Amino acid sequence: MDKGWGLTLDTSSSTSLPFFSSKPPPPPPPPLSMSFFSKDTTMFPALGFPVNLSRPTNNEEEEEEGDQNRMVVGEVDFFSDRNKSSSSARHDRNHLLHQHVKPIIKKELLCADEKPYNSNLQVNTGLQLVTANIGSDQSTVDDGVTSEAEDKRAKNTELAQMQMELQRMNSENQKLKEMLSHVNGNYTALQMHLVALMQQQQLQKPRSDSTENEVVQKKAEEKKHGIGGELVQRQFLDLGPSGTVAEVDDHVSNSSSDERTRSSTPQNNKIEAGVTRNYVRNTNGKNELAREESPGSESQGWGPNKLQKLNAPNVMDQSNIEATMRKARVSVRARSEAPMISDGCQWRKYGQKMAKGNPCPRAYYRCTMAVGCPVRKQVQRCAEDRTILVTTYEGTHNHPLPPAAMAMASTTSAAASMLLSGSMTSADGIMNPNLLSRAILPCSSNMATLSASAPFPTVTLDLTNNDPNPLELQRHHHNHNHSAPLFQLPFPVGQNPQNFGVATPFAQALYNQSKFSGLQFSQDHQVGSSQVPPLAPRTNLQIQPNQQQPSLADTVSAATAAITADPNFTAMLAAAISSIIGGAHGNNNNGDNNNPNINNMASKLSSFSGN
DNA sequence: CGCGTTTGACCGGCGC
DNA sequence: GCGCCGGTCAAACGCG
């Protein structure tokens, strides 16, 4: 060891660290010699920060022996093995400096001057590193002048003060450690956020080769920088769903704003006029769908293959999961004699296949309400019960929706969002969908289920009812092309409202969305006088107002339960309900534009989601 | 003729 | 490597 060398970290620039300003260090005890910082500061290139080299003054040299016994505040004595402390943090720090700083300094010093310094090196890092240098093994100093009794007394006082000082420094070290972990936490969170944002940007950019290379490069860089590429990736994967949720939420918020801003565009006028021109004739006179395969459109769409192909093997896992998250589907089962249920959107059939295990063909539709809309759906009759039409939606509309379509889109996107809810890890969402199913819809097993066996996470909204007296609702005719399918609503007949549990708001939302989206109930009873207005007079609806329809308080409390269970659910549900209300406003023929209770609930939910 | 549908080919993933 | 299967493409077709 290079005894006699001292490196002092200059704390003079940070004596008033805000975190500990409330507890100023006590004045140094007179018997202790402080290390006096020289004003000479030398920059060590290899260190990158100024090092204050100072030969000890004569005084200090004279006091060298006494110096062994000093307590040094704001100083790290690297070169003394007296520097033993119970504080592991200090030990680590000293170890670090021993390993990395000392050799550099030693080398540079030897280059500068053959004669080794017998002084403290003061390294001004601007950091406050506090440590104690207590020479316990050489604590006895006999100057031969003072009497033994005096010496003992002074020693005792000194010892007590040193112990106090040590205690204080230990606590400060502890606080520093806490602060460090806090900063580390913030750093990690920011890093994750950055990675998520970058990833989102990547998804929005065209998936060109260069982009792919960038992704690979970034990942390599992350690994190289030792921020634990693996860790960051895993953390990001945990964020996966929230990313997707953000996408959906963005869409929900954008679509409303887009609707406002784009409502006067020719395209929108076209849509409103019910005209779709999604094909363009190319120069060959060939029909070609004018799709702006927007960056993620392919990946958002039904085709997973290309996305996976583009990803390098080392990012396969992540991309697989991302693709999986994007491919979350919402399947709607409804009784319908029509070949396709009307959901307010315009669709173009682009394919039909015979699927295995089902004699009924599966039809593939693409949303044609806007160029490049990635939303697709599959329509297939249930093999067991051919009156049941299974419509599977995937993707998020990139365009404003007519009120009639808003509700279904909101419901499906809300369901998809729930599926991808970031409140649980992606692994939970995918690997254990039943968990989600139970958490969100514990009492509605026949209404919404999650398929674990499906290749992609799928929420199934079962709008059929096994009850022999199903709640039927007739699709109200608007200017839709398709015939009027017959729907059933999933509300269990005769069920105690208390048993609705947290499923109630969602079921209610579904109920309302069906109603507001142009689906009309026929009923004899006025369902839920406060929440559901009277509709068509014809009825086979068997919901008892008091039995079937939970009170607003029940609904709100159930919603609150759901909200507290999953904050993300709040935003989604609020978005869905808001859109439903929006749909109601746009759907004047429903005559329920200003249902105060629903508005109230939505505003409550919105205020919750704002938290 | 324009536009939506049909349908066979094609592609990629996946399991054996 | 091969075959199966789901999903997509696009030429051909048909309807208004």
Side-chain angles (χ1 to χ4, degrees), chain A residues 476-526:
Chain A
H476 190 67
H477 280 278
H478 292 295
N479 46 356
H480 288 290
N481 303 329
H482 302 285
S483 60
L486 203 58
F487 281 96
Q488 291 181 335
L489 273 192
F491 311 122
V493 174
Q495 189 173 346
N496 189 318
Q498 301 298 329
N499 294 336
F500 273 82
V502 289
T504 301
F506 192 73
Q508 188 65 40
L510 263 181
Y511 174 91
N512 286 328
Q513 75 92 13
S514 302
K515 174 167 61 69
F516 286 126
S517 63
L519 309 175
Q520 296 219 342
F521 280 98
S522 8
Q523 56 181 16
D524 353 20
H525 303 290
Q526 189 167 321

Side-chain angles (χ1 to χ4, degrees), chain A residues 35 40-41 50 79 121 131 134 175 196-198 226 264 302 328 363 401 457 511 527:
Chain A
S35 88
D40 301 328
T41 301
F79 310 107
L121 292 178
T131 189
I134 303 168
K175 284 177 185 174
L197 285 175
M198 280 161 53
S264 57
W302 228 269
L401 293 167
Y511 174 91
V527 179

Side-chain angles (χ1 to χ4, degrees), chain A residues 75 201 211 530:
Chain A
E75 174 175 311
Q201 273 190 338
T211 311
S530 66

Side-chain angles (χ1 to χ4, degrees), chain A residues 208-265:
Chain A
S208 62
D209 284 346
S210 59
T211 311
E212 175 196 348
N213 290 338
E214 281 171 20
V215 172
V216 175
Q217 274 180 0
K218 273 173 192 163
K219 290 181 190 307
E221 257 182 41
E222 281 172 11
K223 279 192 178 174
K224 195 175 71 183
H225 287 136
I227 36 176
E230 224 172 294
L231 172 70
V232 172
Q233 278 191 21
R234 193 168 59 244
Q235 285 167 336
F236 171 67
L237 292 185
D238 289 348
L239 280 179
S242 51
T244 316
V245 168
E247 200 176 296
V248 173
D249 288 344
D250 282 349
H251 167 68
V252 168
S253 58
N254 286 343
S255 60
S256 56
S257 59
D258 283 354
E259 188 145 49
R260 281 191 294 274
T261 54
R262 287 197 247 158
S263 59
S264 57
T265 62

Side-chain angles (χ1 to χ4, degrees), chain A residues 142-202:
Chain A
D142 189 2
D143 57 10
V145 178
T146 57
S147 71
E148 203 172 325
E150 258 181 298
D151 188 40
K152 261 190 177 176
R153 216 179 307 131
K155 238 172 57 184
N156 285 342
T157 316
E158 187 182 327
L159 202 64
Q161 283 169 336
M162 284 161 64
Q163 280 171 349
M164 279 176 58
E165 189 68 14
L166 181 63
Q167 207 170 352
R168 187 184 65 79
M169 288 171 185
N170 276 339
S171 75
E172 276 190 356
N173 273 341
Q174 190 61 36
K175 284 177 185 174
L176 278 167
K177 275 166 77 178
E178 284 169 14
M179 185 177 76
L180 183 65
S181 71
H182 180 71
V183 169
N184 270 338
N186 286 344
Y187 172 72
T188 308
L190 276 171
Q191 203 168 41
M192 285 158 59
H193 189 61
L194 178 67
V195 171
L197 285 175
M198 280 161 53
Q199 197 67 29
Q200 213 171 353
Q201 273 190 338
Q202 291 295 330

Side-chain angles (χ1 to χ4, degrees), chain A residues 401-609:
Chain A
L401 293 167
M406 284 282 277
M408 180 61 90
S410 308
T411 304
T412 53
S413 72
S417 301
M418 280 193 291
L419 176 64
L420 305 179
S421 167
S423 71
M424 61 181 68
T425 65
S426 60
D428 286 337
I430 295 171
M431 304 306 291
N432 192 6
N434 288 334
L435 179 70
L436 178 71
S437 180
R438 262 183 271 120
I440 297 179
L441 303 154
C443 305
S444 56
S445 59
N446 67 330
M447 177 189 139
T449 54
L450 289 151
S451 169
S453 58
F456 305 105
T458 304
V459 186
T460 300
L461 302 176
D462 196 348
L463 301 184
T464 64
N465 194 335
N466 295 328
D467 192 282
N469 226 342
L471 311 175
E472 292 181 348
L473 60 152
Q474 191 81 28
R475 172 76 173 84
H476 190 67
H477 280 278
H478 292 295
N479 46 356
H480 288 290
N481 303 329
H482 302 285
S483 60
L486 203 58
F487 281 96
Q488 291 181 335
L489 273 192
F491 311 122
V493 174
Q495 189 173 346
N496 189 318
Q498 301 298 329
N499 294 336
F500 273 82
V502 289
T504 301
F506 192 73
Q508 188 65 40
L510 263 181
Y511 174 91
N512 286 328
Q513 75 92 13
S514 302
K515 174 167 61 69
F516 286 126
S517 63
L519 309 175
Q520 296 219 342
F521 280 98
S522 8
Q523 56 181 16
D524 353 20
H525 303 290
Q526 189 167 321
V527 179
S529 56
S530 66
Q531 294 192 335
V532 182
L535 296 168
R538 186 179 74 80
T539 176
N540 55 3
L541 191 65
Q542 301 202 350
I543 296 175
Q544 299 300 318
N546 291 333
Q547 250 189 330
Q548 236 4 79
Q549 206 61 30
S551 69
L552 177 65
D554 286 340
T555 304
V556 171
S557 70
T560 308
I563 287 153
T564 30
D566 183 351
N568 290 315
F569 178 69
T570 312
M572 300 165 214
L573 192 57
I577 292 174
S578 298
S579 73
I580 289 161
I581 292 165
H585 281 280
N587 240 359
N588 288 332
N589 47 358
N590 281 322
D592 187 32
N593 297 355
N594 293 306
N595 189 325
N597 291 324
I598 295 173
N599 283 323
N600 190 22
M601 182 169 121
S603 71
K604 280 175 194 288
L605 288 168
S606 297
S607 67
F608 268 115
S609 68

Side-chain angles (χ1 to χ4, degrees), chain A residues 207-335:
Chain A
R207 291 187 171 271
S208 62
D209 284 346
S210 59
T211 311
E212 175 196 348
N213 290 338
E214 281 171 20
V215 172
V216 175
Q217 274 180 0
K218 273 173 192 163
K219 290 181 190 307
E221 257 182 41
E222 281 172 11
K223 279 192 178 174
K224 195 175 71 183
H225 287 136
I227 36 176
E230 224 172 294
L231 172 70
V232 172
Q233 278 191 21
R234 193 168 59 244
Q235 285 167 336
F236 171 67
L237 292 185
D238 289 348
L239 280 179
S242 51
T244 316
V245 168
E247 200 176 296
V248 173
D249 288 344
D250 282 349
H251 167 68
V252 168
S253 58
N254 286 343
S255 60
S256 56
S257 59
D258 283 354
E259 188 145 49
R260 281 191 294 274
T261 54
R262 287 197 247 158
S263 59
S264 57
T265 62
Q267 186 193 44
N268 205 52
N269 291 340
K270 237 186 212 176
I271 291 169
E272 284 172 359
V275 181
T276 53
R277 295 281 187 278
N278 290 288
Y279 275 95
V280 294
R281 288 259 170 207
N282 62 17
T283 48
N284 301 329
K286 221 170 67 175
N287 272 340
E288 209 171 71
L289 188 61
R291 278 192 299 163
E292 285 171 6
E293 285 297 359
S294 62
S297 78
E298 191 64 47
S299 55
Q300 278 181 349
W302 228 269
N305 304 340
K306 286 160 194 159
L307 172 68
Q308 291 176 355
K309 187 176 67 180
L310 283 173
N311 285 287
N314 59 338
V315 294
M316 210 54 169
D317 287 349
Q318 182 174 343
S319 67
N320 278 345
I321 293 179
E322 285 165 18
T324 306
M325 299 316 291
R326 275 193 300 274
K327 295 194 70 61
R329 296 174 178 179
V330 178
S331 187
V332 179
R333 288 166 56 88
R335 290 193 190 281

